[in-house]
Amino acid sequence: MSENKQLPSSGNGGTTDKYVWTQTLVEVNIVIPFDSATFSNLTKKDIKVVFGKSSLDVSIRQERYIHGDFFNAIKPDDCFWQLDTSVDSQTKQTKQSLTLYLEKLKKDEWWSCVLKGDAEIDATKAEPETSKLQDLDDETRSMVEKMMLEQRTKAVLNHKLQEEKERAARRREEKG
């Protein structure tokens, strides 16, 4: 793992100074929590989000808040955002966050970051969400079943090899 890459979070994403993100092989979700001291009583009219195929622009009260180029292309027409408001049960303070839903153009790869230049995760450590084989299309299911068979076969062969090594070691000890 590269020195400056984080391990992915439980949602296969990471954290920056302005947002937290998660991903599946199909989509990326970004949550931007707002500090009530800086941004209070936001409404949808205060927020402008522009999804480009390769860029994102988020403005709050007409000030650019997040801007950059995506790690990989998205489908802008399939993306949306929502402003969430909740009340902290202990402090009774109102908390707001902006959630962005991005649909990946390529649905077969993990992103290392959302925006180029942000802190990266080690995408090789990302773990796909669990799914049922019957949920997959025929071609994908066939490929997954083949991979699972290969894994089981390899595990059995490794187990047999280990047993044979142990037997050989015992024979050498008995002779020695």
Side-chain angles (χ1 to χ4, degrees):
M1 183 170 83
S2 177
E3 297 165 19
N4 58 350
K5 290 188 178 182
Q6 312 166 6
L7 284 174
S9 66
S10 61
N12 294 316
T15 303
T16 72
D17 60 331
K18 291 191 176 178
Y19 61 87
V20 176
W21 64 282
T22 58
Q23 68 178 319
T24 66
L25 286 169
V26 175
E27 66 185 18
V28 175
N29 295 312
I30 302 169
V31 177
I32 305 167
F34 293 118
D35 177 359
S36 59
T38 309
F39 297 107
S40 59
N41 302 317
L42 289 172
T43 67
K44 289 184 177 188
K45 292 178 183 177
D46 296 320
I47 297 169
K48 181 179 179 187
V49 179
V50 178
F51 297 108
K53 184 175 181 178
S54 60
S55 64
L56 174 68
D57 198 347
V58 178
S59 298
I60 311 297
R61 294 190 173 133
Q62 300 176 354
E63 287 189 35
R64 182 176 272 172
Y65 190 69
I66 294 175
H67 176 76
D69 293 325
F70 288 123
F71 178 79
N72 271 328
I74 63 162
K75 293 181 173 180
D77 292 341
D78 295 334
C79 300
F80 62 96
W81 61 271
Q82 71 182 35
L83 178 63
D84 300 306
T85 304
S86 62
V87 177
D88 186 302
S89 60
Q90 294 179 343
T91 65
K92 305 297 183 209
Q93 286 187 318
T94 300
K95 292 185 175 191
Q96 291 188 294
S97 62
L98 179 64
T99 304
L100 310 177
Y101 301 91
L102 313 175
E103 176 122 4
K104 293 178 178 180
L105 186 61
K106 294 181 183 177
K107 298 184 183 331
D108 60 352
E109 59 190 25
W110 297 108
W111 289 14
S112 296
C113 58
V114 176
L115 300 175
K116 293 176 184 175
D118 281 347
E120 293 188 16
I121 63 163
D122 184 353
T124 64
K125 305 286 187 199
E127 295 182 8
E129 62 279 4
T130 56
S131 62
K132 297 182 177 90
L133 283 175
Q134 68 260 26
D135 294 341
L136 303 173
D137 62 71
D138 291 340
E139 182 181 345
T140 305
R141 182 178 338 126
S142 175
M143 184 175 62
V144 169
E145 287 171 341
K146 180 182 175 191
M147 289 170 41
M148 289 170 62
L149 178 61
E150 288 171 355
Q151 268 186 326
R152 283 193 299 267
T153 303
K154 186 177 178 181
V156 167
L157 290 174
N158 282 340
H159 182 71
K160 287 182 178 182
L161 181 63
Q162 186 62 34
E163 285 179 340
E164 186 57 38
K165 285 180 181 179
E166 290 170 3
R167 278 195 294 273
R170 282 193 298 273
R171 283 193 297 264
R172 280 194 303 274
E173 287 176 10
E174 291 170 0
K175 290 180 180 180

